[in-house]
Amino acid sequence: MENISLKASNTGYQIEIPATSDFEQSLTELKTMLKKVRGADKSTHDTEFSVKTGQRLLTSEQQVELEKVITAFDHFSMGTVVADVQTNEAAATALHDQKVYFVPQIIRSGQEVFFDGDVVLLGKVHQGAILEAAKNIYVVGNVDGAVLHAGYPDNNDAIITGDVRRAAQIRISNLVAIVADSPELGQQKFAYINDQHELAYAAMTDLEKQKPELYRQMEAQ
């Protein structure tokens, strides 16, 4: 049948509804298939039917219709419904998680600028300015007496890296370090929060060890 297919699986059966099929016709063909399955299997054990819809997202009404067709037969139940496309909510979450802001402009004294994601600073942050990021801050440009705040307001997984030697302060989540008191900071270092909830510094070559998830994300890009 062109509008639907039915395959046996380890836990029951898998229904596949092609994205190009007519949904109502698919339901009609499914009823015919289920009658054959019920006729061939006289047992009273419960049988689950999972559903794959490919590049089609079923509406809530379509899922209700589909479940009615399946559960009309004794001991048949509908399992998971899986599509190869994201819901709008899942897509929005994924885009939010991937936000990277390239900042080429000058952030001047007295300004406080926030970015809801990663920040790659290409421009300059003047003394008395504050640059805040929900995630990581990568300094490529110049920081002159400014405050860099990664993981704002409470993301302990964030890092700050790049040449921050002329910054006034760096902050990650709720922790603060005076840069003048941290001579170990340099272009090949990154700042992070360690397991003791302290600001710590490590060479970029140690990123995989200290922040394996972040390292994998960067490697995949």
Side-chain angles (χ1 to χ4, degrees):
M1 295 184 178
E2 295 182 358
N3 291 290
I4 201 162
S5 64
L6 185 65
K7 300 176 182 178
S9 68
N10 293 333
T11 58
Y13 289 88
Q14 183 178 84
I15 299 167
E16 293 189 9
I17 305 176
T20 55
S21 67
D22 178 87
F23 184 72
E24 294 303 322
Q25 186 60 38
S26 295
L27 293 183
T28 300
E29 293 180 7
L30 179 59
K31 291 176 185 177
T32 301
M33 287 182 175
L34 295 180
K35 286 179 182 178
K36 292 181 180 179
V37 173
R38 183 75 284 171
D41 184 358
K42 301 298 183 181
S43 66
T44 58
H45 68 274
D46 292 335
T47 303
E48 184 178 87
F49 292 80
S50 61
V51 182
K52 290 187 67 176
T53 61
Q55 295 297 314
R56 182 210 303 261
L57 277 174
L58 297 184
T59 65
S60 56
E61 292 80 8
Q62 287 174 327
Q63 291 200 39
V64 168
E65 288 185 66
L66 181 59
E67 187 168 9
K68 283 182 179 178
V69 171
I70 295 171
T71 57
F73 296 86
D74 292 338
H75 304 291
F76 283 5
S77 64
M78 188 169 83
T80 56
V81 179
V82 178
D84 293 331
V85 292
Q86 293 178 311
T87 63
N88 290 338
E89 292 82 3
T93 299
L95 287 173
H96 179 275
D97 291 343
Q98 295 171 12
K99 280 183 180 176
V100 179
Y101 296 89
F102 293 88
V103 181
Q105 72 264 31
I106 295 174
I107 301 174
R108 302 187 183 280
S109 180
Q111 287 186 294
E112 183 174 342
V113 182
F114 170 74
F115 294 92
D116 187 21
D118 288 316
V119 167
V120 179
L121 176 65
L122 302 174
K124 185 174 183 178
V125 187
H126 284 178
Q127 183 175 2
I130 300 175
L131 171 62
E132 298 169 333
K135 297 177 71 176
N136 310 299
I137 296 178
Y138 304 92
V139 178
V140 180
N142 298 311
V143 180
D144 188 7
V147 175
L148 301 179
H149 191 169
Y152 179 86
D154 56 5
N155 175 9
N156 294 333
D157 293 324
I159 70 167
I160 297 176
T161 187
D163 189 357
V164 300
R165 289 173 294 179
R166 295 182 64 186
Q169 292 181 11
I170 61 169
R171 304 173 186 174
I172 300 179
S173 187
N174 64 341
L175 299 182
V176 179
I178 306 300
V179 173
D181 297 336
S182 305
E184 62 270 53
L185 278 174
Q187 290 178 305
Q188 302 303 317
K189 298 277 189 176
F190 69 95
Y192 68 103
I193 296 177
N194 64 18
D195 293 338
Q196 287 74 47
H197 197 71
E198 300 169 335
L199 271 178
Y201 313 99
M204 285 301 294
T205 52
D206 291 333
L207 183 64
E208 182 178 11
K209 177 182 177 182
Q210 301 296 341
K211 294 289 181 181
E213 185 175 347
L214 175 60
Y215 180 84
R216 288 192 294 269
Q217 291 175 359
M218 296 175 68
E219 192 176 41
Q221 292 176 355

